[in-house]
Amino acid sequence: MCNDDTYRYLIISCMTRETFKYKLGEGAIDFILVNDEAYIIYSEEGMFGGEENLPIAELGLIKIDIFTGEITGLLDDTILETLIDVQSISCRNKSIRILCYEENGDDFTLDYDLTSKKVQNKVVLDYTVSGLLSVRDNFYAWYRNRIYQVNESMEITEEIIIDKKVYDKSSSISNGYSEVVLESKNEFNIVQLSKL
């Protein structure tokens, strides 16, 4: 996902096919790929944005067939009203987990079931998660500059042990499909969660 002066774009390069580029507008926060489909989540700024807003951003969570370009909105209006501020999404089994913030501090997750096409299982968090990802059947959360494995209810089950100096030097943490990248001034440290 990248942007120019006006829009954000999703660029997908396939090993056996051409490169695909999709204009997302403003407010696109995070994406995941599941099979041949891209799922993109928008923030409040995207859904209710300004002049650079695209109609697809108002759908909140969209699915793009990366080969045909067909776009499908996945959320109904009642769910869109609860997406005050979205941080990230991840996918585990047949469920997309959406990490959301509220102004009063009641952070929560929502699960979108890819089979039933419905949102279910709202979990209110008692701690602030800065990022969320999943590897195989496990969820991981970035919390207080540490990475933890969490269960279905977002309760911390295990800390992923990383050298404290690496954590302390990190200026940002970003998620991949099976890895976490800790970026500091002069280096990147890559943690392969799939190998833990």
Side-chain angles (χ1 to χ4, degrees):
M1 195 183 297
C2 57
N3 57 280
D4 59 19
D5 292 338
T6 308
Y7 296 110
R8 296 205 90 180
Y9 296 89
L10 181 65
I11 299 173
I12 300 171
S13 180
C14 299
M15 298 291 283
T16 57
R17 301 200 185 194
E18 60 191 278
T19 298
F20 301 89
K21 180 178 178 181
Y22 302 100
K23 186 191 290 186
L24 302 178
E26 70 173 334
I29 291 295
D30 199 8
F31 76 96
I32 54 174
L33 293 175
V34 181
N35 300 323
D36 294 333
E37 296 169 326
Y39 294 84
I40 295 99
I41 191 82
Y42 286 86
S43 68
E44 180 183 17
E45 290 80 10
M47 289 185 281
F48 311 106
E51 296 176 5
E52 311 307 335
N53 193 22
L54 294 179
I56 59 171
E58 298 171 6
L59 300 172
L61 176 65
I62 63 170
K63 174 180 72 174
I64 302 175
D65 183 306
I66 64 173
F67 297 125
T68 68
E70 181 183 356
I71 297 172
T72 307
L74 302 176
L75 303 176
D76 62 39
D77 291 342
T78 57
I79 296 298
L80 287 174
E81 293 172 4
T82 68
L83 299 181
I84 303 301
D85 201 356
V86 175
Q87 170 67 19
S88 62
I89 58 175
S90 64
C91 185
R92 177 174 170 260
N93 297 326
K94 292 290 185 181
S95 181
I96 293 176
R97 179 155 283 187
I98 306 168
L99 174 60
C100 307
Y101 295 144
E102 287 197 57
E103 292 178 4
N104 62 8
D106 290 336
D107 302 345
F108 63 95
T109 63
L110 294 172
D111 290 344
Y112 177 83
D113 189 288
L114 294 171
T115 304
S116 70
K117 312 283 194 248
K118 296 187 177 177
V119 173
Q120 53 197 18
N121 191 31
K122 179 175 179 177
V123 176
V124 178
L125 304 174
D126 57 4
Y127 59 96
T128 300
V129 177
S130 301
L132 179 68
L133 75 157
S134 53
V135 180
R136 292 189 299 268
D137 291 334
N138 298 316
F139 277 123
Y140 296 90
W142 172 29
Y143 164 59
R144 288 190 178 170
N145 207 33
R146 296 287 188 268
I147 300 166
Y148 299 92
Q149 185 173 339
V150 295
N151 63 18
E152 189 73 22
S153 300
M154 294 297 293
E155 297 164 333
I156 294 171
T157 58
E158 179 183 350
E159 180 178 0
I160 305 306
I161 304 301
I162 298 173
D163 188 322
K164 185 178 184 304
K165 286 185 265 184
V166 171
Y167 270 133
D168 292 344
K169 288 191 300 184
S170 297
S171 57
S172 69
I173 298 179
S174 57
N175 303 338
Y177 288 101
S178 62
E179 63 193 23
V180 174
V181 180
L182 297 96
E183 180 181 353
S184 58
K185 185 176 180 182
N186 298 315
E187 65 186 27
F188 290 91
N189 288 279
I190 300 173
V191 180
Q192 294 283 344
L193 295 173
S194 60
K195 295 181 179 176
L196 295 177

